[in-house]
Amino acid sequence: MEKYEDLQKKIDRLTFTDDGMFQAVMRNPEISAELVECLLHIKVDHVEYPELEKTIAPFYTTKGVRLDVYLRDTDKIIDVELQSYPLEEPGKRTRYYNSMVDIDSLMKGQDYSELKDCYILFICKHDPFRDENGHGYRLPCYTFRNKCEEDLRVNLNDKTLKVFYNASVYEKVKDERIRGFLHFVHTNDCGKDDFSNRLSAMVDELKENEKFRSDYLAMNLHDRDITKRARQEGSTQKAVDAARNLLNMNLGTHEQIAQAVGLPLEKVKEMAELSSMHN
């Protein structure tokens, strides 16, 4: 597990696009609104709350989603994601995010007409869409709406929009503000862009902020502890499965099986007794 001192040093190297820093900067509702208005070309009348890393898991049997930044205003819900690594399954991912947001926002007894407009915005450092040969399409922005294939004038009007920005080709963007922001995302160089300079200044301030440093350390230590436990549990389950197979095939004594798979002898004996009871 990463040492506490290493995490302290890592904070000093954080950039706007790093997990934790992006969410912290977007905690500022004015910054959140300005970014959304710039990239989605919509008006945000107010931000009810920027809820960071919101977890939506409506049923215990479903796969929950953890959203980077989840914003609401009067008639809109906006999920903003920043993807530093190549994005896998962008279509299915946004489909699932959209469905979870809708379930989360529509209370029991409400009518479908009460669903708010839903925007899923991905800011990607790498091209999110590739052809069958693995080559990116190199568009600076990919915008998706649901329309009728037979007549493109017919709009499904489901009030959903999915937008992916590709910062790796920022130079292709005509809008100066968006080009400056994507350049900052791709290079960490804010240049002369006012908004990017403000973001960079906030990053520097947060790195010196004791509460942010404490929260970041706690978050990372917690995540690493979860990862460690998951690996341990996965390793134990593999050992149990191997022991069960050896017992079913009657290969070796209990002592030999325990030694072979790395389980305590008492655990193997317990498994053998349960197996005999079911046979």
Side-chain angles (χ1 to χ4, degrees), residues 145-264:
R145 301 179 190 269
N146 289 322
K147 292 191 176 182
C148 176
E149 288 188 1
E150 288 77 13
D151 190 335
L152 295 180
R153 295 174 300 173
V154 182
N155 194 318
L156 188 61
N157 201 30
D158 59 354
K159 303 298 184 182
T160 65
L161 183 72
K162 292 137 181 116
V163 178
F164 300 79
Y165 275 94
N166 174 17
S168 68
V169 290
Y170 64 85
E171 70 279 357
K172 291 187 175 183
V173 180
K174 294 180 180 179
D175 185 295
E176 185 176 353
R177 291 186 66 206
I178 296 177
R179 183 171 66 250
F181 171 71
L182 293 181
H183 174 265
F184 175 55
V185 168
H186 185 64
T187 66
N188 196 40
D189 176 11
C190 50
K192 297 180 179 180
D193 179 64
D194 174 67
F195 184 56
S196 299
N197 272 278
R198 281 185 281 137
L199 293 176
S200 182
M202 290 183 69
V203 169
D204 290 339
E205 289 174 10
L206 282 165
K207 286 193 286 190
E208 299 300 324
N209 183 286
E210 287 304 318
K211 185 178 186 310
F212 170 77
R213 295 178 74 90
S214 176
D215 290 346
Y216 183 83
L217 290 168
M219 178 186 71
N220 278 269
L221 290 170
H222 174 67
D223 287 349
R224 280 157 178 74
D225 186 49
I226 290 175
T227 301
K228 182 180 178 181
R229 290 205 305 269
R231 287 173 178 169
Q232 290 173 339
E233 290 171 4
S235 178
T236 300
Q237 186 58 50
K238 288 180 180 179
V240 168
D241 292 340
R244 185 177 293 113
N245 289 335
L246 292 172
L247 287 168
N248 290 338
M249 292 184 292
N250 198 26
L251 293 176
T253 65
H254 294 167
E255 290 80 2
Q256 289 171 330
I257 292 174
Q259 184 176 5
V261 301
L263 287 176

Side-chain angles (χ1 to χ4, degrees), residues 6-62:
D6 294 334
L7 288 174
Q8 286 275 13
K9 293 177 182 177
K10 185 176 179 180
I11 291 177
D12 298 327
R13 298 192 297 268
L14 286 175
T15 68
F16 172 70
T17 61
D18 285 314
D19 191 34
M21 180 58 78
F22 171 68
Q23 291 89 341
V25 171
M26 293 291 283
R27 193 181 294 275
N28 183 308
E30 287 78 22
I31 288 292
S32 296
E34 186 172 352
L35 179 64
V36 165
E37 288 183 344
C38 176
L39 296 183
L40 293 180
H41 311 292
I42 60 175
K43 184 65 179 175
V44 178
D45 53 30
H46 72 285
V47 175
E48 291 182 6
Y49 58 90
E51 188 169 344
L52 305 184
E53 289 198 323
K54 177 180 177 67
T55 299
I56 299 177
F59 310 108
Y60 74 93
T61 54
T62 64

Side-chain angles (χ1 to χ4, degrees), residues 135-148:
H135 300 133
Y137 289 99
R138 293 185 56 78
L139 292 178
C141 183
Y142 302 84
T143 303
F144 297 91
R145 301 179 190 269
N146 289 322
K147 292 191 176 182
C148 176

